[in-house]
Every structure is written in C-alpha cells, then in structure tokens.
Amino acid sequence: MSLITTASQTVGPYVKIGFLPLAVDAIAPKDAAGERVTVHGRVVDGDGKLVTDSVIEIWQADAEGRYAHPEGAKGQPAAFRGFGRILTDGKGEFRFSTIKPGRVPGPDGALQAPHLVVTVFMRGLLKHLLTRVYFPGESANSDDPVLNLVPADRRGTLIATVAAGSKSTLEWNVIVQGKNETVFFDF
Amino acid sequence: MSNIAGYRRPYYDTQPPYLYPGYKSTVKRSPRAPLVHLPHTLSEVTGPMFGSDDVAPGDADLTAQHDAAPLGERIVVSGRILDENSKPVAHALVELWQANASGRYAHDVDDHDAPLDPNFTGAGRALTDANGFYSFRTIKPGAYPWRNHYNAWRPAHLHFSLFGLGLVQRLVTQMYFPGDPLLAYDPMYNSVPDARARERLVSIFDWERTIPDIALAFRFDIVLRGRDETPMETSRS
C-alpha cells in the first residue's frame, strides 16, 4: 500500500504574493550558447477575456539538450537551470527570453524536437495545466513522438509562430477554453 | 511507448476535476477539449532544482520580516514531504503564502474590508532537510469572504507550492486547520471527491512542536507522486 498524493488546490487570486519572489523571465544567462529567442503571448479564458492573474512556469534543456537535473545532464552540467516563472501582467500578457533548447531523448532511443514544457496556474484552476511549446520551421517537429500523439488539427496550438518583424521573437498563446483551445496533457 | 520509468498517475477521485461548477471560476477556466495522455519522457521526470541560493536565512519565519511583530496568533507549521513510496523528498523547495490574521492579503486586488498589517507580507520559503522535513513560523490567517456565492467564506488556509525531483511531482495545494466549521461549506475543499484525500488537507494540532509561551503548532505532511520502478509497456498506455 502506498501513500496517496496530496490533493491539488487552486493558487487563487493572490498567487503573486507567493510566486513573485522567485519569478524569472530571463531564463538563459546572457553568455549561454544557443539561438536566442523571446517568447510572448496572452492567456485567454473561455469568454475570450485576458487572464491577468495567471502564472506560467517553463522547464527546458540547454542548447545541448542537457537538463540541469541529475538524470538529464549527460555527464556534463547544463549551462543554466532552465526554469522560468512569469506572471501575466494587467493585460493578460507574458514575455520571457531564453535560448532554443537542444533535442532531448524521447522514447525508444528517438530524439524529441526542441520544446519547452509549460505549467499553467491561475485562479479557477483547481489543478495546474501542462502543455508544451515547439518551435516554428523545425524539421524535427514532424517526427516528434509527443506532437504525434496530438490530433493533427490541434497540433498548431503547441507550435509558436514567428512574430511580425523579428525572427527571434515568437508568439505563443494559452487559450484555456473554447475556439483554438490549447492542447493540454493528461500527465 | 515510454521506456523511462515514469511517475504514477493519481488514484481515482483523489484529485479535484478541472470543471467544478460549485467553484464558479472553473466554468470558464477549465479546458473543454479532451486532454492528451502524455507518457512521461525525460522532460517530465526531470524538473528544476533549487538550493540554498534560493532561500535566505529567515525566509521561513513570516513573523520576522518587518520592524515589529505582526498581529495574530503565532504558529509553527511543519511536516515532511514524502513521495507515495514513503521516500522523503530532500532539499525540496517549499513556498508558502497566506492572508494576515484579519483575513486580508497584502495584494492590490484584495478589497476585503479588513485591516492590512504593515508588519506582515505573508510569503515565505523553505527547503526540506535530508529527511524531507520543513518548518515555518507564521501567524494563523483569518477567514475571509469571497464572491463565489451569497455569503461565501473561505476557511482559514495556507497556500503551499512544492517542487519535487520531477516536473510531474509539482504540486500547489492549501492547508486547512482542524475543526474549522467553514470547511463543510467550502467549494475548493469539497472539490476533492475522495473524503480521505480531502481530509488530508487538514493539518493536525501538533502538541510536540508547540513552543511554550510563544506559539501553537500544526503539522502538515505532504505527499508527492511516486515513481514507478520500471518503465511502462507501450500497450498499457
């Protein structure tokens, strides 16, 4: 008989008090190797309203595909921690800068396409949501074992788009419910 | 398809659903499309690691962050972070936030007509020790009204945020106090279908850790998901 995992409860409307002290929107240090990107977007609820009290957390590998974790370091420490925590602002928008991660191992020896893992918290979510951001124009996306679990007509919600004017600025939105709803995972 | 050992999924009914209309905000903030079952890969069994650089001495004492002591009943809140296999989660980051003794948060959107306390911010951090043990000193938060339904009151609670070893162990929860009559009427507490799982959110009066003449104590043990010993077979997912 094992113990039972403690039940999740919402972060509520005052999450900023608890999460702001360790907020991070510059995930990779300036000297980290790799292709630098800025990702911005909005969090939108089922009424199409912008969510001003949500938090997204990012987990990612460095440019060499190393996670800063005992199981993910491939014998060499990762270049940076790989953790981001961004609170949406008064317009329901978020923005963070990082480097595009390298490919990490997937099932059966295959490699996954570069991706960020995203956790979403907000008032009204009794438990957090888990999703991913993939990169536009990345040839490995078509073979990615996780992306291929997603119905083809919804895969686009997990792939960032190039924002007008700058190749290094990507847009990716979290649509919690309704038209173009983001794919969330049962994890 | 996964051939890395993953973490076990929650037991039936021990976690709240995304849509729980009794808590009104879930209606427009829960996904409607089916979730996609995700086998755990390296990206999910790893997760951010924190350490002593992230927690300053004194961060675990919410009563000593200002010039004077906050108002309210001083309490010690402590416990162990374990996984489902009863293994302590060592050096894990525990974040806590809460209302003050009057039931008011030091937050610009809280307009409850109760006094702010200039000596209380209501946020703290701690790392578990090698045995998974953590401890905070704080004040007992007050109950407060919210707009979910007519005459709705939240029972007194502390918000807890936990990072384990793997991203899928991430947990945010709330700790309640024993004997609180508001629990029976609270949609958030009652969103957990399984009665035993729900009752685990209620702390236990902890006589052994009371500090004579200074503080009462409550114990809150937290369990994070347990890891499978062997990888799952393709056909089972």
Side-chain angles (χ1 to χ4, degrees):
Chain A
M1 180 67 193
S2 75
L3 303 176
I4 292 175
T5 299
T6 302
S8 175
Q9 296 273 269
T10 183
V11 294
Y14 312 117
V15 58
K16 186 169 88 176
I17 298 172
F19 278 15
L20 193 60
L22 295 184
V24 179
D25 63 2
I27 297 173
K30 289 210 163 23
D31 58 354
E35 182 187 333
R36 207 146 269 284
V37 289
T38 297
V39 181
H40 70 87
R42 290 166 299 165
V43 180
V44 183
D45 74 8
D47 283 328
K49 285 186 191 144
L50 297 162
V51 178
T52 58
D53 55 2
S54 62
V55 180
I56 65 168
E57 288 182 350
I58 309 293
W59 171 237
Q60 68 163 97
D62 71 6
E64 303 297 321
R66 292 179 299 227
Y67 281 113
H69 184 278
E71 274 182 69
K74 297 182 184 170
Q76 266 197 46
F80 54 92
R81 180 185 277 171
F83 172 69
R85 173 187 274 175
I86 306 97
L87 286 67
T88 51
D89 63 16
K91 296 179 190 158
E93 295 175 347
F94 61 85
R95 173 181 291 266
F96 60 91
S97 66
T98 187
I99 56 98
K100 182 178 169 181
R103 300 180 69 176
V104 300
D108 303 321
L111 289 173
Q112 303 188 55
H115 63 274
L116 313 173
V117 184
V118 182
T119 310
V120 182
F121 301 90
M122 68 182 78
R123 169 178 66 84
L125 275 178
L126 284 161
K127 51 188 176 184
H128 54 261
L129 294 166
L130 192 77
T131 183
R132 285 184 171 200
V133 185
Y134 287 83
F135 290 79
E138 171 65 50
S139 58
N141 286 348
S142 56
D143 298 325
D144 184 76
V146 171
L147 217 39
N148 282 319
L149 295 172
V150 176
D153 61 340
R154 299 189 64 207
R155 266 174 223 162
T157 69
L158 299 183
I159 304 173
T161 54
V162 178
S166 170
K167 219 181 89 192
S168 64
T169 304
L170 304 179
E171 181 177 346
W172 177 76
N173 299 309
V174 179
I175 313 293
V176 178
Q177 182 190 102
K179 189 166 178 273
N180 300 322
E181 184 174 309
T182 302
V183 167
F184 300 106
F185 293 107
D186 171 3
F187 54 96
Chain B
M1 77 174 214
S2 184
N3 47 17
I4 191 166
Y7 283 83
R8 286 198 292 282
R9 313 268 162 167
Y11 285 90
Y12 179 70
D13 267 359
T14 58
Q15 294 290 332
Y18 284 110
L19 175 61
Y20 185 76
Y23 172 23
K24 271 190 193 161
S25 298
T26 67
V27 174
K28 294 295 181 182
R29 291 185 167 198
S30 51
R32 286 292 176 276
L35 303 185
V36 174
H37 182 89
L38 179 68
H40 298 165
T41 74
L42 188 66
S43 300
E44 288 78 35
V45 302
T46 57
M49 308 301 288
F50 297 89
S52 48
D53 288 352
D54 303 298
V55 180
D59 279 355
D61 186 350
L62 286 73
T63 68
Q65 295 175 342
H66 298 274
D67 292 341
L71 293 171
E73 202 178 320
R74 274 187 301 269
I75 56 173
V76 172
V77 176
S78 67
R80 288 179 82 199
I81 315 293
L82 302 172
D83 71 14
E84 289 175 332
N85 307 325
S86 301
K87 194 175 159 203
V89 184
H91 315 303
L93 178 66
V94 184
E95 295 169 288
L96 178 155
W97 71 102
Q98 63 169 100
N100 70 20
S102 307
R104 176 89 184 261
Y105 285 88
H107 189 293
D108 46 14
V109 306
D110 187 355
D111 56 4
H112 174 35
D113 181 22
L116 284 166
D117 183 342
N119 294 310
F120 194 70
T121 303
R125 279 174 299 290
L127 290 173
T128 58
D129 68 13
N131 297 313
F133 184 81
Y134 74 89
S135 181
F136 288 99
R137 191 183 290 201
T138 185
I139 52 96
K140 192 173 177 186
Y144 58 85
W146 59 310
R147 297 188 177 91
N148 191 67
H149 53 272
Y150 175 68
N151 202 17
W153 289 80
R154 294 293 337 273
H157 60 274
L158 305 179
H159 295 267
F160 272 83
S161 161
L162 292 306
F163 289 86
L165 262 178
L167 195 75
V168 291
Q169 288 185 303
R170 184 89 176 84
L171 177 72
V172 173
T173 189
Q174 298 181 27
M175 181 202 105
Y176 301 97
F177 290 87
D180 192 329
L182 292 171
L183 286 170
Y185 308 100
D186 183 48
M188 288 185 199
Y189 176 70
N190 288 294
S191 69
V192 181
D194 182 89
R196 281 181 312 160
R198 200 160 58 231
E199 286 156 14
R200 292 280 308 274
L201 299 178
V202 181
S203 57
I204 295 165
F205 178 63
D206 188 357
W207 186 249
E208 283 78 11
R209 290 192 189 276
T210 55
I211 306 174
D213 301 326
I214 295 179
L216 294 178
F218 294 88
R219 183 170 181 100
F220 186 50
D221 293 326
I222 297 171
V223 179
L224 305 182
R225 281 194 197 185
R227 193 158 184 189
D228 283 325
E229 283 172 18
T230 52
M232 238 187 197
E233 296 301 323
T234 305
S235 57
R236 286 180 58 198
S237 65

